[in-house]
Amino acid sequence: MYHPKLEIILQNIERVMIGKRNVAELSVVALLAQGHILLEDVPGVGKTMMVRALAKSVGANFTRIQFTPDLLPSDVIGVSIYNPKEMEFQFRGGPIMGNIILADEINRTSPKTQSALLEGMEEGSVTVDGVTRVLEKPFFVMATQNPIEYEGTYPLPEAQLDRFLLKMKMGYPTAEEEMEVLNRLQHAPPIDELQPVISLEELKQLQREVREIVVDDTIKSYIVDLAGKTRSHANVYLGASPRGSIALMKACQAYAMLHGRDYVVPDDVQFLASYIFSHRIILKSEAKYEGIQPEDVIERIVARTRVPVQRLVK
């Protein structure tokens, strides 16, 4: 059972995206939790379409930034231009001034330009010519990077990866799903006909309500236990930080609301742990040589950690 308003958003997205219910749910979770997503996948699987569909569904302003090696911070956040008529500088905002932003191939631009976007993600504001400008709410970034082509790229350092609430992949569609995509796109793109199903004010209200979702102390202890085990695991050089624990708790609150509950259950934690922790740990060199992936480590930790079955009584 889904939250009525959130179910409508998911159904609206599915008018455009075929077979991507899980990705749509995680996108809504990040939006509710006021976090951001790092989407690592090959070109052409529908990343842009997903973000556009989400933006249209909530009536948000959508902007797209194509990151390139020559992109400057001012191309992202904007610049002050002198107006001789008014005899003063006037600020012209960049694409970061939108509500929902696709930061395409973020690892193709320089660290200086990356930091311009990441400042807005972390602080909810940008600074131009010494003036701090608060970004309009809601503010949601989905950044993408290609997992195949690393030549000429600037990989995000761990401190910046930590700013993303979750990391996920789109994946290829099945043959049946791809046939349905072709049928829907044969005449006119369905994204052009997509209409908002909730207002921005309703979305902001949902973002406020998600903070009230109950997280029992047993669930918090479970989250802390999982995070702690990432720091002591034999294959892990650097484990998840306390920011990771906070991110998992907030994501679980949003996931619980999405599923029509006003409380978090252990299943929420188990489902989201890999998406929240996988980009927040660094594996040892030996583990990488053996082909072990961060997701594998998180899944093993979850499988071997005792699950709380009873609430704490105060």
Side-chain angles (χ1 to χ4, degrees), residues 176-187:
E176 293 77 12
E177 291 167 351
E178 197 162 355
M179 276 292 295
E180 180 63 22
V181 170
L182 296 182
N183 290 334
R184 293 195 185 186
L185 292 175
Q186 185 174 355
H187 301 293

Side-chain angles (χ1 to χ4, degrees), residues 38-40 47 102-107 142-146:
L38 179 61
L39 186 54
E40 187 175 73
K47 299 185 292 291
L102 175 64
D104 208 6
E105 295 193 289
I106 189 174
N107 58 332
M142 182 179 284
T144 72
Q145 57 183 14
N146 188 336

Side-chain angles (χ1 to χ4, degrees), residues 286-304:
E286 312 88 81
K288 293 178 182 177
Y289 293 147
E290 292 174 10
I292 297 173
Q293 299 297 318
E295 293 83 359
D296 301 330
V297 173
I298 302 302
E299 288 172 6
R300 291 172 191 169
I301 289 174
V302 170
R304 297 173 183 175

Side-chain angles (χ1 to χ4, degrees), residues 22-271:
N22 187 51
V23 177
E25 287 190 11
L26 290 170
S27 299
V28 171
V29 163
L31 184 59
L32 287 174
Q34 301 183 57
H36 309 283
I37 291 177
L38 179 61
L39 186 54
E40 187 175 73
D41 219 322
V42 296
V45 292
K47 299 185 292 291
T48 302
M49 198 67 70
M50 171 62 71
V51 189
R52 286 183 62 195
L54 181 61
K56 281 201 166 190
S57 297
V58 299
N61 178 27
F62 169 75
T63 59
R64 182 178 186 271
I65 309 171
Q66 181 62 56
F67 283 91
T68 57
D70 60 347
L71 198 73
L72 299 174
S74 58
D75 296 326
V76 175
I77 61 179
V79 64
S80 294
I81 299 175
Y82 184 72
N83 185 337
K85 185 177 180 180
E86 301 291 335
M87 299 184 66
E88 63 180 13
F89 282 92
Q90 295 180 342
F91 177 68
R92 300 280 181 88
I96 199 174
M97 295 299 172
N99 295 126
I100 294 182
I101 297 158
L102 175 64
D104 208 6
E105 295 193 289
I106 189 174
N107 58 332
R108 289 213 171 275
T109 195
S110 67
K112 187 174 183 179
T113 305
Q114 289 174 358
S115 65
L117 175 68
L118 292 162
E119 178 195 355
M121 290 168 52
E122 180 67 15
E123 307 297 336
S125 62
V126 294
T127 303
V128 182
D129 296 332
V131 178
T132 299
R133 302 177 188 276
V134 178
L135 298 173
E136 184 182 350
K137 302 293 185 180
F139 178 69
F140 171 76
V141 174
M142 182 179 284
T144 72
Q145 57 183 14
N146 188 336
I148 304 301
E149 297 178 0
Y150 284 114
E151 196 171 327
T153 63
Y154 302 86
L156 293 173
E158 284 67 31
Q160 293 182 0
L161 284 172
D162 207 24
R163 264 59 179 180
F164 290 95
L165 180 74
L166 57 88
K167 179 184 175 184
M168 63 179 182
K169 299 178 181 180
M170 292 279 287
Y172 286 115
T174 63
E176 293 77 12
E177 291 167 351
E178 197 162 355
M179 276 292 295
E180 180 63 22
V181 170
L182 296 182
N183 290 334
R184 293 195 185 186
L185 292 175
Q186 185 174 355
H187 301 293
I191 188 71
D192 294 341
E193 301 175 2
L194 218 58
Q195 298 296 322
V197 291
I198 70 168
S199 67
L200 277 183
E201 286 307 314
E202 288 177 302
L203 174 60
K204 291 177 185 177
Q205 180 59 32
L206 290 170
Q207 288 179 329
R208 289 189 289 268
E209 291 176 3
V210 79
R211 302 171 190 164
E212 305 303 318
I213 298 294
V214 176
V215 186
D216 189 71
D217 282 351
T218 53
I219 300 294
K220 293 176 183 175
S221 179
Y222 185 38
I223 291 172
V224 170
D225 195 13
L226 291 173
K229 288 185 177 179
T230 67
R231 301 163 195 160
S232 59
H233 195 279
N235 290 325
V236 178
Y237 172 72
L238 184 67
S241 67
R243 186 187 284 121
S245 301
I246 296 169
L248 182 52
M249 181 182 70
K250 288 183 175 180
C252 286
Q253 287 178 297
Y255 191 73
M257 172 181 274
L258 177 64
H259 288 270
R261 286 182 272 106
D262 60 359
Y263 56 91
V264 174
V265 297
D267 285 350
D268 301 334
V269 180
Q270 292 177 322
F271 175 74

